[in-house]
Amino acid sequence: MAERKRRTEMKFLFDSLRNQIPASHGSKSSKWEILSKASDYIKSLEANCKANSAAQGQLGQVVQDLDVIRRENESLRAENHRLFQEMNAYRDARHANMVQQPPMPQHYPAPTTSMSVDPSSRSLPPPNNVAHASSMQGVQYTDGVR
């Protein structure tokens, strides 16, 4: 009677183990196949666990790097905002200076009388060789003034 109970319990445990193994749901397998598949499945779970641990370590490093990058980004945004404000202040100051006509600096010469000659009183010197000049030819002047 005790042996029958032990065999029934063993059968129940092997069936439970077989149902826990993903590759053998519902299939009839020998005890040796069930134990081999269970062993392989446990090894694959251990490998996955190691891979997950390594991935978590990498994720922790990536999170730290992301934190550093976020702080740098915030710093650059603040600097960008400050420079933008400086640029606007400079532009506003420049615009205000352009509206008010500043006096002419001292280093510019005063206009001379030769620069303020009436344009209608100017005339060109007489051309040389006018007899042979056509409308498309250049004209040569005698005193070098053009």
Side-chain angles (χ1 to χ4, degrees), residues 7 23 56-57 65 90 98-99 112 114 131 135:
R7 286 183 186 194
Q56 284 181 340
D65 292 346
Y90 175 74
M98 291 177 119
V99 170
T112 61
S114 64
S135 63

Side-chain angles (χ1 to χ4, degrees), residues 44-104:
S44 72
L45 289 175
E46 288 173 341
N48 286 343
C49 187
K50 286 180 184 178
N52 285 341
S53 294
Q56 284 181 340
Q58 289 175 341
L59 180 62
Q61 183 61 42
V62 167
V63 167
Q64 289 176 354
D65 292 346
L66 183 61
D67 253 0
V68 168
I69 290 170
R70 281 186 178 148
R71 279 185 252 134
E72 287 176 7
N73 190 24
E74 287 301 316
S75 173
L76 290 172
R77 284 182 188 265
E79 183 179 1
N80 186 24
H81 182 70
R82 181 186 57 79
L83 291 172
F84 186 75
Q85 287 178 332
E86 282 182 26
M87 182 181 71
N88 283 338
Y90 175 74
R91 187 180 323 161
D92 291 345
R94 187 171 175 205
H95 184 313
N97 286 341
M98 291 177 119
V99 170
Q100 303 169 354
Q101 292 293 328
M104 187 178 276

Side-chain angles (χ1 to χ4, degrees), residues 21 24 41 44 55 59 77 85 107 121 124-125 127 134 143 146:
I21 300 169
S24 62
Y41 183 59
S44 72
L59 180 62
R77 284 182 188 265
Q85 287 178 332
H107 61 277
S121 66
L124 298 175
S134 72
D143 63 349
R146 294 183 187 201

